[in-house]
Amino acid sequence: MRHPKHFAAACAAVLSLILAGTAHAQDALARAKAAGVLHIATEEQFPPYDFIQDGKHAGFNVDLFAQIGQKLGLKIDWTDRPWPRIMLGLQSKKYDLAGGPAPITADLAKTFRFLPPVSSAQTMIEIRKGETGLAKPADIAGKKIGAQRGSFALAELLKFNATLPRPANIVEYADNRLANADLKTGRLDGVAIAANDAMEVLRRNPGVFGVVQPGFGTRVYYGYMMRDDEDSRSLFDAISTAMRELTLQGKLAELQTKWFGGAITVPATAPKPAQ
């Protein structure tokens, strides 16, 4: 005859294994629903998408995902990380998606799946207000130009720099805020930055900075990245549906106008990037 204590212990062990197996079998959407939380990693020094205002996380991303979370019945848990660590954390399933957003490029599309884009831009050169030595993008030849490390603007700057008769001296920074600080004090001649990010810098610093017109390089769309795997598929579809609903309701255009200065026409799904 089985000892009751031994039998109870065995049952508990089996139940534990069953529950563990069930939890393991849940996909990303089921886990998010069970926890009531969507985990997003982003850089909180990337205005107008993310920044700290009066000690609180604010910006386009905060407003947008508050509405997405409301549609999905999920709270949003934000984690502030440098961009390279965000991509590693996304791949290792620490986060459900990467904020940013990121440029929809062929390289990134090899590893990640992009949600519907929320903005588009070319790369521009930001200068000090009243600077006369940089009238067009090619005038950066021989100048000292900053850019955020790992950014699409840096990649475009490097390609453009290779076409110049005299290359610019390119300095990489952890974020645009640090590059702009050096531009303001004269340690840089310009900063390569996405056009919508430049507009936010000008808005927040009236009379301090300007931009060189026109922009240069490839026009790209920006979207949020998720893992491209079966585990994330249903969560990807749920967030995509919520974003399409916000677009049809005019809510996305309202947020674009609030944070970028105007509505931006973007495709309903992430476009296939050129190779």
Side-chain angles (χ1 to χ4, degrees), residues 35-159:
V37 176
L38 184 67
H39 297 284
I40 306 176
T42 194
E43 287 184 305
E44 292 182 358
Q45 300 79 36
F46 190 48
Y49 297 100
D50 295 284
F51 58 95
I52 301 300
Q53 186 175 55
D54 299 326
K56 295 182 179 180
H57 183 195
F60 176 87
N61 288 346
V62 175
D63 286 359
L64 176 62
F65 279 99
Q67 296 190 42
I68 292 173
Q70 187 174 29
K71 285 185 174 292
L72 299 181
L74 300 174
K75 293 181 179 179
I76 307 300
D77 174 57
W78 294 97
T79 300
D80 180 23
R81 291 287 184 272
W83 189 247
R85 291 180 63 185
I86 290 174
M87 291 191 288
L88 290 173
L90 180 60
Q91 288 177 296
S92 63
K93 298 187 178 182
K94 286 184 178 179
Y95 318 116
D96 295 310
L97 63 89
I104 302 175
T105 64
D107 283 344
L108 288 174
K110 291 175 184 176
T111 305
F112 303 104
R113 191 178 183 193
F114 281 92
L115 288 160
V118 294
S119 65
S120 71
Q122 277 187 295
T123 301
M124 304 193 81
I125 298 296
E126 190 178 282
I127 57 175
R128 289 180 295 280
K129 188 74 173 179
E131 172 65 48
T132 59
L134 289 172
K136 58 185 182 299
D139 290 341
I140 68 171
K143 299 289 200 303
K144 193 174 183 180
I145 307 297
Q148 180 175 339
R149 186 176 300 115
S151 68
F152 184 73
L154 174 61
E156 290 293 288
L157 175 62
L158 290 170
K159 287 192 293 184

Side-chain angles (χ1 to χ4, degrees), residues 114-117 244 266-271:
F114 281 92
L115 288 160
R244 282 192 289 271
V266 290
T269 59

